[in-house]
């Protein structure tokens, strides 16, 4: 007999397998995965550009410990994962980061380095599309709506494991009570969208 937990695990594995292609291609981690994995999520701008890294001046911390400036290692670009443009001083970004030995590391390449333009963010990756007027268009939303949704999401969920088909124990932990979950999903359209996506994954209460 297949339990609810087994159903969630099967669905989770199918999501991961769906990102794999015969040819070499980046496995895109959806926004909920990189949010759940991140040590810090920050908004700010590039201050100093170096060969393999840049100094990032933080204006707002959405998740994790607060810093004024950090050193961020540039992700290695390749055919299936290129940056939106050359790294330049003054670029305003939202970064999803893991702590490295010397620098902070961007999670999942371009997926974890989002450009902010005219106070809007466009999500990247194959999963971050919405159906509008019979066309699939990138999910573009205001920075305010985005950061409110991600902030509350990060209070409720933490991703455990590795996002690949070999890690069958990978799952989300619910780190808040059910009342907080209700608050999270009702904040705005983006948080409701995130909550709906979470029904695909195995979620265990911490």
């Amino acid at each position: 007999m297949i339990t609810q937990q087994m159903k969630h695990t099967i669905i989770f594995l199918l999501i991961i397998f769906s990102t794999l292609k015969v040819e070499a291609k980046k496995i895109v981690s959806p926004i909920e995965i990189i949010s759940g994995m991140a040590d810090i999520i920050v908004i700010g701008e590039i201050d100093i550009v170096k060969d393999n890294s840049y100094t990032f001046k933080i204006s707002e911390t959405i998740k994790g410990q607060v810093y004024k400036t950090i050193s961020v290692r540039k992700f290695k670009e390749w055919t299936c994962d290129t940056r939106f443009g050359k790294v330049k001083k003054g670029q305003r970004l939202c970064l999803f980061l893991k702590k490295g030995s010397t620098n902070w590391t961007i999670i999942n390449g371009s997926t974890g380095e989002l450009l902010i333009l005219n106070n809007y963010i466009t999500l990247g990756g194959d999963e971050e599309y919405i159906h509008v007027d019979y066309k699939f268009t990138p999910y573009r939303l205001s920075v305010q709506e985005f950061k409110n949704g991600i902030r509350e999401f990060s209070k409720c969920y933490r991703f455990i494991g590795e996002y690949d088909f070999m890690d069958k124990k990978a799952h989300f932990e619910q780190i808040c009570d059910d009342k907080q979950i209700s608050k999270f999903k009702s904040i705005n359209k983006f948080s409701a969208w995130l909550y709906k996506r979470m029904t695909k994954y195995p979620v265990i209460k911490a």
Side-chain angles (χ1 to χ4, degrees), residues 33-182:
I33 294 290
I34 64 171
S35 298
M37 291 176 63
D39 292 325
I40 62 172
I41 303 172
V42 294
I43 288 175
E45 66 177 47
I46 295 175
D47 187 33
I48 301 171
V49 179
K50 302 177 182 178
D51 289 339
N52 297 311
S53 65
Y54 55 78
T55 301
F56 193 69
K57 188 183 297 182
I58 297 170
S59 59
E60 187 169 0
T61 299
I62 298 172
K63 175 185 177 181
Q65 189 172 341
V66 176
Y67 301 89
K68 290 184 177 180
T69 58
I70 55 175
S71 178
V72 178
R73 183 163 62 89
K74 298 176 186 177
F75 71 87
K76 188 175 181 180
E77 295 185 65
W78 59 298
T79 305
C80 293
D81 194 18
T82 57
R83 198 172 186 273
F84 55 81
K86 187 177 179 180
V87 178
K88 295 180 180 179
K89 176 181 172 64
Q91 282 178 344
R92 193 173 175 222
L93 308 169
C94 179
L95 302 177
F96 296 75
L97 304 168
K98 296 288 286 184
K99 180 65 174 174
S101 55
T102 56
N103 300 319
W104 288 88
T105 302
I106 299 168
I107 300 174
N108 202 225
S110 59
T111 316
E113 187 186 47
L114 301 179
L115 177 67
I116 298 174
L117 196 60
N118 297 324
N119 284 318
Y120 277 87
I121 279 182
T122 301
L123 303 189
D126 297 335
E127 298 293 328
E128 279 72 51
Y129 281 72
I130 54 175
H131 193 209
V132 179
D133 296 331
Y134 302 99
K135 295 180 181 179
F136 284 96
T137 59
Y139 197 148
R140 184 171 179 265
L141 68 163
S142 72
V143 172
Q144 189 66 43
E145 183 179 8
F146 175 81
K147 67 183 183 182
N148 287 347
I150 293 296
R151 181 179 288 111
E152 295 304 318
F153 175 90
S154 298
K155 293 177 182 177
C156 292
Y157 298 106
R158 174 171 58 222
F159 184 71
I160 306 297
E162 297 294 330
Y163 186 63
D164 63 55
F165 67 93
M166 296 298 292
D167 191 353
K168 296 181 180 180
K169 294 183 179 180
H171 66 278
F172 278 92
E173 278 188 351
Q174 180 182 319
I175 55 178
C176 68
D177 58 29
D178 291 341
K179 185 177 180 180
Q180 184 67 31
I181 293 289
S182 295

